[in-house]
Amino acid sequence: MEEQALVLVAEDDPDIADILTTYLERAGTRVVRAEDGRRALDLHLSLNPDLLILDVQMPRLDGWQVLTEVRHRGDTPVIMLTALDQDIDKLMGLRIGADDYVVKPFNPAEVVARVKAVLRRTSGEGWAASRRILRFGALTIDLEGHQAAVEGKDGRENALDLTLTEFRLLAHLARTPKRVFSRGQLLEACLPEGEALERTIDSHLSKLRKKLEAHGVMGVPANVRGVGYRLGGV
């Protein structure tokens, strides 16, 4: 496991979260914690962790809901934690897209071993590049560097001067470019710390579209009348 790997632990039981944090940090991993499903999604969006340890039974949003949204966004490896030792729960997690499954009570050393195994399996150069660099036509979006650029006709990349909110919106749409997001979904995902109105999203996306048009990228993001926005055409 790489020393700089970042693991997001989504677990509402502070004792379990403490144990996992201690063992993971001893193994050379950085750890960030979320006490509920909504906070887990916010941190996943803003920090782009290398792996998510996800408890099934959490307040606000349960583990299945979080896993479903994480899979809509991309390929972050997920290990599910649950006290329910039933085959149907395992099947649900695997069907939605979990990479592994641990039943409580568990040996924390075993969880660390599974984290290492999943990271080894998913940390190839191609996977890492596809997860951290998003491309859509002439657009390139660097999730870790919080930068976006447009490739010009001469082959050179022209950096986009985006606000934090504009970058968040562009990155969120680019993770699943064919999916249509409602204003409410974009507000939750990209402006979680504010109390903005849904129509605020229109203003941010209008400014983003003008900046893209100035670099020759037309019709992005696309407005799907009566529904919301997607990055581009199907």
Side-chain angles (χ1 to χ4, degrees):
M1 177 166 47
E2 293 185 5
E3 186 177 351
Q4 297 301 314
L6 175 63
V7 175
L8 169 56
V9 175
E11 168 61 68
D12 63 317
D13 185 321
D15 293 332
I16 294 176
D18 285 343
I19 291 170
L20 288 171
T21 299
T22 298
Y23 273 76
L24 287 164
E25 288 182 342
R26 284 178 185 171
T29 307
R30 293 178 297 140
V31 179
V32 63
R33 289 160 53 167
E35 66 283 352
D36 62 63
R38 172 50 56 195
R39 180 62 176 161
L41 284 178
D42 291 344
L43 289 174
H44 175 263
L45 183 68
S46 61
L47 299 179
N48 191 33
D50 296 288
L51 183 141
L52 172 57
I53 296 177
L54 180 59
D55 184 31
V56 170
Q57 296 179 327
M58 287 190 299
R60 299 184 75 185
L61 293 174
D62 66 30
W64 305 132
Q65 293 171 298
V66 174
L67 177 59
T68 299
E69 178 57 29
V70 166
R71 280 294 161 264
H72 280 313
R73 295 178 179 180
D75 299 318
T76 304
V78 177
I79 297 176
M80 303 296 294
L81 296 180
T82 182
L84 305 174
D85 187 11
Q86 297 179 0
D87 288 340
I88 189 169
D89 294 301
K90 294 179 183 178
L91 289 172
M92 178 181 287
L94 294 172
R95 186 172 66 247
I96 296 175
D99 295 87
D100 205 347
Y101 193 101
V102 177
V103 177
K104 299 176 184 178
F106 53 78
N107 181 340
E110 179 189 351
V111 177
V112 172
R114 294 197 183 194
V115 167
K116 289 181 178 180
V118 171
L119 285 176
R120 278 197 303 268
R121 191 167 69 243
T122 58
S123 62
E125 290 183 5
W127 180 86
S130 68
R131 198 166 62 89
R132 294 178 172 84
I133 302 294
L134 302 177
R135 290 184 173 84
F136 181 83
L139 265 174
T140 299
I141 303 161
D142 180 351
L143 298 178
E144 290 189 345
H146 274 249
Q147 295 178 330
V150 176
E151 183 179 347
K153 293 181 179 179
D154 58 0
R156 295 182 180 180
E157 287 198 338
N158 303 301
L160 291 168
D161 183 17
L162 303 180
T163 66
L164 176 58
T165 298
E166 289 165 359
F167 180 84
R168 285 178 175 177
L169 286 165
L170 180 61
H172 191 66
L173 291 166
R175 285 187 174 96
T176 49
K178 295 182 181 180
R179 180 182 173 188
V180 179
F181 292 91
S182 69
R183 292 180 178 85
Q185 288 171 326
L186 291 173
L187 193 64
E188 260 187 22
C190 302
L191 288 167
E193 67 280 355
E195 297 182 359
L197 300 174
E198 288 188 1
R199 288 292 174 180
T200 304
I201 292 294
D202 295 337
S203 175
H204 287 296
L205 288 177
S206 176
K207 292 175 183 176
L208 172 61
R209 188 181 293 113
K210 288 179 181 178
K211 291 180 180 181
L212 290 170
E213 287 175 349
H215 286 82
V217 180
M218 313 305 291
V220 176
N223 186 348
V224 181
R225 183 170 296 182
V227 183
Y229 293 90
R230 64 168 173 251
L231 189 62
V234 174

